[in-house]
Amino acid sequence: MKKISFIGVGIMGKSMVRNLMKAGFELHIYARTKAKVEDVISEGAIFHESIGECVSECDAVITIVGFPQDVEEVYFDEENILDCASKGAYLIDMTTTSPQIAEKIYAEGTKRGFHVLDAPVTGGDTGAKAGTLSILVGGDKEDFEACMPLFEAMGTNINYQGEAGKGQHCKLANQIMIAGTLSGVCEALTYAKEQGLDLDVVMRSVSTGAAGSKQLDTFGPKIIAGDYAPGFFMKHFIKDMKLALIEANRKGLSLDVLSMVLANYEELEAEGYGELGTQALIKFYDEEHRYMEDEEEPEQAEE
């Protein structure tokens, strides 16, 4: 397995492409806008003008695109991966998407002789750059094992979750945990600020105790600094939470915390913050936002 096609060269994808090239793989890439990937082209990635050209002679195809509809497009629309990839190729979707779409790609791909895996990742842009992503894999176990050299070039915590779609289910469980944890971080920092505490001291005090978490370590300092640059877009996290709620509803589960956090994020997205990072959830709690909410209450009461 030497020639790899990579579709979805964004914030995460660029670092993953670089790490695959460092591991000795030949990378063929496709992006809608070539100008956005000139940096990785200059580093050795081979650019193609179409998906068909990009995947036609590669041993494996990796996709990490934005939304479920984007996954459907690259696998099933005109000049798609399933129609154009080399016979017997490994098709690995690393997008966080619907488990049902993962099962659909697996069923159709297997029928056509492909080896199909769903392998969403967690670890953000930092993990992508460092090559330390957690990779959550669903599909046939022998295909998982065959792709281990690819996964090891991008991540360090690589686990087989089970049949097709299980990788996506594990990723949604991960996103449910993040939703509750990051909401807790924002509420705690809001409380500490209102009580007149030094937030940097609070961070140092609690981060090594029972309240410590990756979300606190990663986003606490950014929240304090007012840094909302996206390592992971708010709009994409909203998509993930919606997918998790759909799957929970299918099982008759009531996930109240997730529903509340999603509602908070959707309100921020409606206010134009969807392109910010997930840590911008703190804006839901900031003084100006709370003042706006208070101003609306009398009018709502009169209705």
Side-chain angles (χ1 to χ4, degrees), residues 181-182 184-193 196-226 279 282:
T181 304
L182 186 52
V185 168
C186 290
E187 292 198 353
L189 291 177
T190 299
Y191 174 83
K193 181 179 178 181
L197 297 174
D198 183 317
L199 296 186
D200 290 313
V201 175
V202 171
M203 275 285 300
R204 290 199 303 273
S205 302
V206 305
S207 61
T208 59
S213 71
K214 287 284 187 181
Q215 294 300 301
L216 179 63
D217 293 344
T218 302
F219 294 121
K222 290 185 177 183
I223 290 170
I224 293 170
Q279 69 272 25
I282 192 66

Side-chain angles (χ1 to χ4, degrees), residues 3-18:
K3 296 173 69 174
I4 311 301
S5 169
F6 201 105
I7 297 168
V9 192
I11 291 176
M12 299 281 288
K14 280 189 180 182
S15 295
M16 295 161 78
V17 164
R18 289 184 172 113

Side-chain angles (χ1 to χ4, degrees), residues 38-213:
E38 290 288 359
D39 48 359
V40 289
I41 294 172
S42 69
E43 295 166 28
I46 302 164
F47 182 80
H48 296 270
E49 296 289 344
S50 70
I51 288 176
E53 289 179 8
C54 187
V55 306
S56 62
E57 296 182 5
C58 290
D59 304 308
V61 178
I62 296 173
T63 53
I64 182 164
V65 293
F67 292 87
Q69 59 265 35
D70 299 314
V71 177
E72 291 266 13
E73 179 182 329
V74 298
Y75 280 96
F76 295 104
D77 281 5
E78 187 176 348
E79 197 181 10
N80 61 62
I81 293 168
L82 289 169
D83 286 343
C84 301
S86 297
K87 185 178 180 180
Y90 289 82
L91 309 182
I92 309 166
D93 184 30
M94 305 187 82
T95 316
T96 300
T97 187
S98 162
Q100 296 172 68
I101 292 177
E103 292 167 10
K104 178 181 175 182
I105 297 169
Y106 175 85
E108 184 62 27
T110 301
K111 187 168 66 177
R112 299 193 194 192
F114 296 114
H115 304 274
V116 181
L117 296 169
D118 53 286
V121 301
T122 183
D125 61 328
T126 303
K129 288 175 184 175
T132 57
L133 292 169
S134 295
I135 305 177
L136 323 166
V137 188
D140 295 338
K141 192 166 188 179
E142 55 268 31
D143 294 338
F144 163 74
E145 292 168 348
C147 290
M148 188 59 73
L150 287 176
F151 296 142
E152 288 177 339
M154 298 179 282
T156 52
N157 185 12
I158 304 156
N159 293 284
Y160 177 66
Q161 305 297 329
E163 63 191 24
K166 297 299 188 187
Q168 297 295 348
H169 281 299
C170 185
K171 178 58 186 289
L172 295 181
N174 180 85
Q175 302 305 74
I176 293 167
M177 292 182 202
I178 288 175
T181 304
L182 186 52
S183 180
V185 168
C186 290
E187 292 198 353
L189 291 177
T190 299
Y191 174 83
K193 181 179 178 181
E194 288 297 313
Q195 299 300 334
L197 297 174
D198 183 317
L199 296 186
D200 290 313
V201 175
V202 171
M203 275 285 300
R204 290 199 303 273
S205 302
V206 305
S207 61
T208 59
S213 71

Side-chain angles (χ1 to χ4, degrees), residues 267 292-303:
E267 186 170 318
M292 289 169 59
E293 289 289 297
D294 290 343
E295 286 291 293
E296 292 171 359
E297 284 180 7
E299 183 178 345
Q300 292 173 348
E302 288 173 7
E303 291 175 1

Side-chain angles (χ1 to χ4, degrees), residues 279-296:
Q279 69 272 25
L281 177 62
I282 192 66
K283 287 183 174 292
F284 185 82
Y285 298 94
D286 68 25
E287 185 175 353
E288 181 181 356
H289 190 277
R290 283 184 283 117
Y291 176 76
M292 289 169 59
E293 289 289 297
D294 290 343
E295 286 291 293
E296 292 171 359

